[in-house]
């Protein structure tokens, strides 16, 4: 089920699955800095547990594994307490996160911080009225099936509190605090994030904890004092029902798909006598299909040789004939007017290369064409473009960027990041923000426009991402993302840049050669916003030129490029699959399930086989169009003014029909599907084993040493795969990602490993404890690791 990605740990998990290459390690060499907006993280994020490391799932024979009866199969009873609002009671404002509660309380008055079971809430007075601001902590409720059992299809589900759904649930304290505060309140105002997830969080608090049918709603895009006051004064008398029902429908659909399809897959595998956790979701299927199709294109691809011909020409004319060339010569002497040009076609028929024999020494006719290109600033950031640019400039994964943006938003520094808008309405007060930031960034001279450049995309709930003008000292990735957002915002108010393009061509009979140059005449917004424009200077050539050299290069056509984490997310957006809030977590699930791997996203044998099998036996699961239709219908619900429930029922019924027909597909071919998936799983394991194998075990000389992970100690270590016959193991540094390198230790011949850790230089080491290189280091390293562990606890 897609959830908002909100955890630092999640992002660490995804890093574990990106086999970072040495060249990528530059991203890991930044100076380590303490995060500067950690208060929210420190309080809350520790409690968000990172997902299971599914890479370590083993395919076991059934008798070996005890399948515990999960809570999913036990009946859970939940009937919310009935409470009545008190006449004359205080106003209870409910926020989505702890940090938002503190921001809203301070914006509306002079709050006193109170405490219930360790959960903070705030009491304040505004115009003689008592207000209490308290928080949820994301979702407090989850969907659960009503009757135990694992048959499919199953559709009987309802909302129950998280604490009844899982053991040791940390949200119970928040549930209890809200319940306690609701009992004495006179009215309820929802102030969760203004989007579909936020509305569902609010709706569930209103109906299940507060026992109400409706509540007031504060709507805002930034956590600034000014906007929060406005949002409070102009609050809506109702929650946003379109948004709430659209969100609820999404939850139902995702549950139906997620649970039923995953069970179908697992049941299919069970028919082979094995057990493996597998899943596929409503958006996951089509998303994985995109990656697999690309992989198939790459596999099908046959490189073709082709040739490119280059000539070097020299301007033979005497000096002083053209002003431009005179200047050039005057500057750096003769030879400056030498230029390499490329034949303007790639040649696939080798025999055609004959035409280029004996052309050296001949005279060609040159011409220079100049054009001016006006480049306006890029439109304001929405989530996808921010994620794409952050990946391009800093190599940050989309989920990491979202997480940073979320914390900048909670710090009141930027507007709500989960937006698809490219608009910047005047009502946000950009004039003031611009004045302040232009001064701070010392770019006042470049600001020439009163109105910003805007893009086409709209979002009914929020404007594009912009800085609020509030200040806080930032460092590390937070600072980078904040600066990128601010610079993008400032650039919107600048002139267009002007690029001088130049094309020099040289014609010899029917052969045309050309070279292109570009220089920036006016940088304008490019002086503020980072751009990757390459300037190429070439001389002006006109008239007769002598060909002084020629060369032929043989090349090969290249296979299609794999998706990067950023490009797959923009592709999903283009195809309207998933939502801005869920796309990065969908991608993460594909990594976690071992369907894809690598930074340049490659489908694994398991991912490819899953899609191939589904294509054969139940193509509806990966049907992009169906998924997109559901997205459109949910968007339609969001815009409705009435009859929400009717439409909700219609969409849900359609989803049920789809799932029933998928279940039928599986019923018919369960055994075949199971066998194909099992084969793929074994292939994947084989591949992973090869990738993880380091060397023959020096102790037993029969097994191979590989990197393993212990769930018990939560550490990686090296062990011999002849276990239990051989118990040889080696320990590894406790933190970071351990990678194989292609280096061998000069002292002992063991393969060298590399440890990557954010904020550190990659560390290449020999894992042989008896190696000379380790004798003096052993003690030092121990101390160092201890220190690092202490540091990591603080992170
Ligand atoms: Zn061994
Ligand atoms: Zn060594």
């Amino acid at each position: 089920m897609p959830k908002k990605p909100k955890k630092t740990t999640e992002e660490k998990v995804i890093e574990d699955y990106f086999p970072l290459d040495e060249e990528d390690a530059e991203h890991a060499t930044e100076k380590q800095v303490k995060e500067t907006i950690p208060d929210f993280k420190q309080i809350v994020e520790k409690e968000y547990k990172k997902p299971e490391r599914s890479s370590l799932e083993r395919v076991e024979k059934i008798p070996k594994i005890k399948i515990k009866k999960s809570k999913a199969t036990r009946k859970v009873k939940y009937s919310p307490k009935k409470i009545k609002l008190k006449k004359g009671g205080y106003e209870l404002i409910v926020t989505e996160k702890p940090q938002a509660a503190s921001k809203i309380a301070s914006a509306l008055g002079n709050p006193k911080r109170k405490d219930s079971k360790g959960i903070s809430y705030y009491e304040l007075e505004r115009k003689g009225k008592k207000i209490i601001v308290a928080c949820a902590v994301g979702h407090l409720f989850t969907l659960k099936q009503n009757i135990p059992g694992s048959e499919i299809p199953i559709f009987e589900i309802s909302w129950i509190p998280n604490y009844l759904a899982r053991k040791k649930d940390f949200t119970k304290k928040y549930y209890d605090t809200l319940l306690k505060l609701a009992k004495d309140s006179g009215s309820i105002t929802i102030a969760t994030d203004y989007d579909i997830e936020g509305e569902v969080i609010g709706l569930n608090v209103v109906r299940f904890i507060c026992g109400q049918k409706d509540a007031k709603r504060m709507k805002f895009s930034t956590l600034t004092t000014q906007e929060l006051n406005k949002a409070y004064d102009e609050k809506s008398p109702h929650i946003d029902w379109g948004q709430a029902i659209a969100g609820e429908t999404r939850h139902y659909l995702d549950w139906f798909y997620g649970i039923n399809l995953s069970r179908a897959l697992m049941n299919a595998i069970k028919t082979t006598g094995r057990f493996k956790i597998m899943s596929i979701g409503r958006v996951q299927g089509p998303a994985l299909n995109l990656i697999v199709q690309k992989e198939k294109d790459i596999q099908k691809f046959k490189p073709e040789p082709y040739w490119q011909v280059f000539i070097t020409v020299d301007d033979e004319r005497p000096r002083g004939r053209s002003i431009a060339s005179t200047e050039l010569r005057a500057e750096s002497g003769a030879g400056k007017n030498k230029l390499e040009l490329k034949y303007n076609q790639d040649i696939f028929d080798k025999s055609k290369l004959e035409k280029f024999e004996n052309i050296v020494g001949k005279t060609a006719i040159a011409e220079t064409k100049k054009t001016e290109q006006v480049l306006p600033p890029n439109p304001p950031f929405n989530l996808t473009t921010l994620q794409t640019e952050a990946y391009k400039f800093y190599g940050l994964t989309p989920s990491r960027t979202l997480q940073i943006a979320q914390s900048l938003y909670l710090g009141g520094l930027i507007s709500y990041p989960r937006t698809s808008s490219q608009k910047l309405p005047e009502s946000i007060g950009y004039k003031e923000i611009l004045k302040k930031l232009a001064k701070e960034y010392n770019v006042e001279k470049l600001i020439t426009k009163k109105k910003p450049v805007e893009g086409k995309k709209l979002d009914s709930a929020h404007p594009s991402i912009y800085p609020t003008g509030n200040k806080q000292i930032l460092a590390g990735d937070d600072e980078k993302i904040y600066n990128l957002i601010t610079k993008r915002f400032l650039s919107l108010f600048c002139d267009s840049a002007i690029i001088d393009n130049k094309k020099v061509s040289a014609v010899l009979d029917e052969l045309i050669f050309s070279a292109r140059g570009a220089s920036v005449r006016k940088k304008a917004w490019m002086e503020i916003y980072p751009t990757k424009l390459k300037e190429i200077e070439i001389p002006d050539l006109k008239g007769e030129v002598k060909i002084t050299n020629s060369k032929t290069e043989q090349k090969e056509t290249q296979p299609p490029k794999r998706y990067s984490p950023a490009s797959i997310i923009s592709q999903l957006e283009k195809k309207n699959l998933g939502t801005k809030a869920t796309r990065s977590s969908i991608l993460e699930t594909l990594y976690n399930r071992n369907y894809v791997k690598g930074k340049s996203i490659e489908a694994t044998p398991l991912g490819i086989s899953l899609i191939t099998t589904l294509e054969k036996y139940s193509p509806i699961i990966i049907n992009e169009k169906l998924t997109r239709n559901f997205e459109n219908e949910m968007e339609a619900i969001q815009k409705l003014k009435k009859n929400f429930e009717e439409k909700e029922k219609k969409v849900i019924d359609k989803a049920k029909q789809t799932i029933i027909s998928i279940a039928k597909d599986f019923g018919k071919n369960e055994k075949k599907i199971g066998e194909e998936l099992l084969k793929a799983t074994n292939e994947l394991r084989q591949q992973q084993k090869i990738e993880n194998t380091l060397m023959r075990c020096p102790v037993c000389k029969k097994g191979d040493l590989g990197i393993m992970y212990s769930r018990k100690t939560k550490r990686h270590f090296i062990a011999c795969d002849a276990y239990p016959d051989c118990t040889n193991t080696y320990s590894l540094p406790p933190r970071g990602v351990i990678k194989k390198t292609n280096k061998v230790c000069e002292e002992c011949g063991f393969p060298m490993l590399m440890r990557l850790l954010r904020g550190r230089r990659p560390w290449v080491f020999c894992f042989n404890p008896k190696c000379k290189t380790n004798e003096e280091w052993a003690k030092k390293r121990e101390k160092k690791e201890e220190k690092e562990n202490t540091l990591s606890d603080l992170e």
Side-chain angles (χ1 to χ4, degrees):
M1 245 186 279
K3 273 182 204 153
K4 289 182 186 179
K6 346 190 164 190
K7 15 197 159 172
T8 40
T9 40
E10 257 188 12
E11 184 267 328
K12 274 184 193 147
V13 169
I14 205 164
E15 265 201 352
D16 287 353
Y17 293 97
F18 283 147
L20 290 165
D21 295 311
E22 258 174 284
E23 56 187 279
D24 296 317
E26 62 184 53
H27 299 306
T29 56
E30 291 140 17
K31 215 170 58 192
Q32 191 180 29
V33 270
K34 283 215 79 186
E35 302 227 29
T36 46
I37 22 180
D39 41 345
F40 160 70
K41 279 184 206 151
Q42 278 174 353
I43 303 163
V44 183
E45 297 226 345
K46 269 198 183 153
E47 298 180 274
Y48 281 112
K49 279 287 167 286
K50 84 171 167 191
E52 277 282 285
R53 297 191 46 132
S54 43
S55 72
L56 300 151
E57 284 158 14
R58 294 279 172 93
V59 181
E60 307 277 3
K61 282 183 182 152
I62 281 185
K64 270 192 185 172
I65 196 162
K66 276 186 212 153
I67 306 170
K68 268 193 236 155
K69 261 209 164 183
S70 75
K71 276 214 165 186
T73 55
R74 262 192 266 146
K75 192 164 180 171
V76 179
K77 266 189 202 153
Y78 172 63
S79 39
K81 285 223 167 79
K82 281 195 181 111
I83 60 170
K84 257 193 174 169
L85 297 186
K86 280 195 178 148
K87 253 197 179 161
Y90 50 75
E91 176 179 7
L92 176 63
I93 299 181
V94 182
T95 70
E96 185 161 331
K97 297 274 173 63
Q99 202 180 347
S102 130
K103 286 262 171 203
I104 291 176
S106 331
L108 299 184
N110 247 330
K112 262 186 238 143
R113 186 169 145 163
K114 303 249 170 162
D115 187 279
S116 161
K117 291 189 179 179
I119 305 299
S120 298
Y121 63 91
Y122 305 86
E123 210 179 290
L124 62 109
E125 255 197 32
R126 189 182 163 92
K127 293 173 187 164
K129 235 182 86 186
K130 188 175 164 187
I131 297 175
I132 285 183
V133 186
C135 64
V137 56
H139 283 284
L140 299 178
F141 294 84
T142 184
L143 286 168
K144 205 85 192 170
Q145 70 190 71
N146 299 343
I147 318 150
S150 61
E151 69 282 1
I152 55 163
I154 180 142
F155 299 118
E156 302 308 313
I157 56 174
S158 22
W159 291 104
I160 62 162
N162 287 342
Y163 70 82
L164 289 178
R166 13 174 219 258
K167 272 185 220 162
K168 283 189 192 164
D169 175 66
F170 78 96
T171 66
K172 181 157 195 321
K173 287 183 285 184
Y174 294 85
Y175 180 102
D176 290 343
T177 304
L178 283 175
L179 182 62
K180 182 189 123 183
L181 294 170
K183 281 176 185 162
D184 292 322
S185 69
S187 72
I188 312 288
T189 299
I190 294 303
T192 48
D193 292 347
Y194 188 54
D195 62 11
I196 56 171
E197 278 320 299
E199 210 70 44
V200 175
I201 292 167
L203 171 67
N204 284 341
V205 168
V206 168
R207 59 186 175 182
F208 300 134
I209 297 182
C210 307
Q212 301 302 303
K213 288 214 167 82
D214 200 351
K216 293 178 185 119
R217 177 64 156 125
M218 275 170 71
K219 300 171 183 177
F220 48 86
S221 291
T222 64
L223 290 171
T224 56
T225 304
Q226 202 186 3
E227 187 171 351
L228 289 172
N229 273 290
K230 193 166 172 261
Y232 179 82
D233 291 334
E234 295 170 8
K235 61 184 169 232
S236 150
H238 307 288
I239 66 169
D240 189 323
W241 282 102
Q243 209 158 248
I245 299 301
E248 185 177 60
T249 311
R250 180 175 296 281
H251 276 266
Y252 270 88
L253 249 58
D254 287 342
W255 199 97
F256 287 161
Y257 266 79
I259 299 293
N260 284 302
L261 303 195
S262 302
R263 277 184 192 165
L265 289 177
M266 275 152 63
N267 288 346
I269 290 192
K270 263 191 217 159
T271 61
T272 67
R274 305 276 171 138
F275 174 79
K276 176 171 171 61
I277 292 173
M278 281 195 86
S279 80
I280 193 84
R282 193 173 56 83
V283 191
Q284 260 181 63
L288 177 59
N289 189 36
L290 284 178
I291 296 167
V292 168
Q293 292 316 324
K294 181 78 87 184
E295 206 59 45
K296 287 185 172 170
D297 287 346
I298 292 170
Q299 284 173 358
K300 260 193 295 191
F301 182 82
K302 283 202 185 89
E304 241 186 287
Y306 69 94
W307 291 266
Q308 290 183 331
V309 182
F310 299 87
I311 56 167
T312 309
V313 300
D314 210 337
D315 189 347
E316 283 187 312
R317 293 163 298 158
R319 295 178 185 202
R321 205 154 132 194
S322 106
I323 296 168
S325 59
T326 315
E327 273 171 0
L328 276 167
R329 284 177 190 212
E331 240 174 54
S332 41
K336 183 75 183 180
N337 274 5
K338 264 191 179 175
L339 178 65
E340 190 179 74
L341 302 104
K342 185 178 147 284
Y343 179 58
N344 65 356
Q345 277 169 15
D346 292 334
I347 296 160
F348 285 86
D349 178 358
K350 201 178 176 182
S351 70
K352 289 200 173 146
L353 287 175
E354 279 175 17
K355 288 190 282 186
F356 301 92
E357 282 166 16
N358 309 319
I359 56 171
V360 175
K362 287 188 177 165
T363 301
I365 304 298
E367 199 183 3
T368 301
K369 267 189 192 157
K370 290 178 182 179
T371 46
E372 182 191 275
Q373 193 187 356
V374 178
L375 225 59
N378 292 312
F381 272 144
N382 60 20
L383 181 58
T384 308
T385 49
L386 172 65
Q387 285 171 321
T388 312
E389 292 285 276
Y391 185 78
K392 185 167 100 187
F393 290 119
Y394 311 120
L396 295 173
T397 61
S399 52
R400 170 82 178 140
T401 300
L402 174 56
Q403 175 214 333
I404 294 168
Q406 175 75 13
S407 84
L408 292 173
Y409 161 72
L410 284 170
L413 301 179
I414 63 163
S415 63
Y416 195 58
R418 287 186 181 87
T419 174
S420 43
S421 168
Q422 293 181 317
K423 303 286 179 197
L424 205 61
E426 204 172 345
S427 58
I428 65 152
Y430 57 62
K431 276 185 193 154
E432 284 301 304
I433 301 170
L434 180 64
K435 220 168 125 188
K436 200 169 163 190
L437 290 174
K439 197 171 173 196
E440 219 168 273
Y441 280 69
N442 203 12
V443 293
E444 287 153 301
K445 276 184 199 151
L446 292 164
I447 307 296
T448 51
K449 286 192 265 181
K450 290 211 166 91
K451 284 196 167 167
V453 167
E454 289 182 302
K456 279 183 192 150
K457 285 189 186 126
L458 275 167
D459 188 317
S460 51
H462 298 282
S464 61
I465 304 171
Y466 64 91
T468 59
N470 285 353
K471 230 176 150 176
Q472 194 179 337
I473 294 164
L474 297 168
D477 292 342
D478 292 335
E479 187 185 20
K480 282 184 198 148
I481 295 295
Y482 175 79
N483 277 334
L484 193 66
I485 291 168
T486 304
K487 287 176 176 178
R488 182 78 157 213
F489 170 79
L490 290 169
S491 73
L492 304 172
F493 298 89
C494 298
D495 278 346
S496 297
I498 298 173
I499 317 290
D500 285 327
N501 287 316
K502 196 192 285 185
K503 186 183 169 191
V504 175
S505 48
V507 183
L508 175 70
D509 303 327
E510 82 284 21
L511 305 176
I512 304 168
F513 300 85
S514 57
R516 283 171 192 281
S519 61
V520 184
R521 194 201 312 163
K522 185 177 168 188
K523 280 187 109 178
W525 63 272
M526 287 183 179
E527 284 192 43
I528 299 177
Y529 189 79
T531 45
K532 279 189 173 173
L533 190 93
K534 211 175 154 194
E535 287 188 75
I536 305 165
E537 221 173 302
I538 59 170
D540 291 359
L541 295 179
K542 201 171 171 21
E544 290 183 353
V545 289
K546 194 173 177 188
I547 300 172
T548 56
N549 197 12
S550 89
K551 65 172 181 189
T552 305
E553 280 179 13
Q554 183 176 343
K555 304 212 161 151
E556 259 186 0
T557 51
Q558 296 298 306
K561 256 186 147 176
R562 293 197 168 97
Y563 290 110
S564 73
S567 70
I568 186 71
I569 279 183
S570 9
Q571 186 68 4
L572 290 174
E573 188 191 40
K574 239 181 246 164
K575 290 178 172 281
N576 198 14
L577 297 170
T579 68
K580 60 211 168 221
T582 56
R583 285 182 195 116
S584 51
S585 63
I586 287 162
L587 176 62
E588 232 160 273
T589 311
L590 296 180
Y591 277 105
N592 288 344
R593 289 279 170 236
N594 277 317
Y595 299 152
V596 302
K597 63 171 187 177
K599 219 168 179 181
S600 154
I601 307 172
E602 187 184 340
T604 63
L606 184 59
I608 294 173
S609 157
L610 179 57
I611 291 298
T612 315
T613 310
L614 293 178
E615 249 173 1
K616 234 190 288 180
Y617 301 111
S618 190
I620 199 167
I621 298 182
I622 51 171
N623 188 323
E624 207 175 274
K625 216 174 128 195
L626 186 76
T627 304
R628 186 159 46 235
N629 283 347
F630 277 127
E631 298 293 349
N632 292 340
E633 303 224 39
M634 283 181 279
E635 272 170 38
I637 295 178
Q638 205 174 330
K639 285 176 192 143
L640 285 180
K641 296 274 177 274
K642 54 181 181 182
N643 302 337
F644 310 105
E645 266 103 357
E646 211 174 285
K647 181 83 180 174
E648 178 181 30
K649 194 177 171 296
K650 228 175 105 190
V651 176
I652 288 177
D653 280 346
K654 195 171 150 195
K656 285 181 184 172
Q657 288 311 315
T658 312
I659 285 157
I660 288 169
S661 74
I662 292 171
K664 273 188 198 149
D665 289 344
F666 267 78
K668 267 184 275 169
N669 297 298
E670 201 167 46
K671 190 125 207 212
K672 279 186 221 153
I673 297 173
E675 275 161 8
E676 287 184 25
L677 293 180
L678 182 70
K679 207 178 126 218
T681 307
N682 290 337
E683 248 175 70
L684 175 77
R685 283 189 74 196
Q686 214 50 42
Q687 196 193 55
Q688 284 180 333
K689 210 187 138 191
I690 292 166
E691 279 169 8
N692 276 328
T693 298
L694 298 168
M695 64 188 286
R696 192 39 49 112
C697 171
V699 173
C700 70
K701 298 193 172 65
K702 279 178 193 146
D704 288 318
L705 296 184
I707 302 173
M708 311 271 182
Y709 180 79
S710 156
R711 286 187 189 228
K712 214 170 152 192
T713 60
K714 296 199 170 72
R715 278 180 70 150
H716 285 92
F717 64 103
I718 291 170
C720 173
D721 69 354
Y723 180 88
D725 294 340
C726 173
T727 55
N728 185 21
T729 61
Y730 302 86
S731 64
L732 285 173
R735 299 183 59 226
V737 183
I738 307 291
K739 281 246 328 169
K740 253 164 81 168
T741 67
N742 44 23
K743 294 188 188 92
V744 169
C745 177
E746 283 173 9
E747 286 292 336
C748 71
F750 270 48
M752 302 283 275
L753 299 176
M754 177 163 61
R755 194 269 308 260
L756 294 169
L757 189 58
R758 169 166 301 128
R760 302 282 170 124
R761 290 193 160 277
W763 171 38
V764 178
F765 64 96
C766 173
F767 67 89
N768 177 9
K770 286 177 190 147
C771 173
K772 257 190 183 172
T773 60
N774 283 324
E775 275 172 16
E776 51 204 283
W777 282 99
K779 280 186 181 170
K780 256 190 186 173
R781 198 197 305 165
E782 246 170 49
K783 274 190 186 161
K784 202 173 154 225
E785 295 296 351
E786 265 170 35
K787 221 168 140 192
E788 275 171 11
N789 279 332
T790 339
L791 271 176
S792 77
D793 293 338
L794 295 172
E795 262 176 19

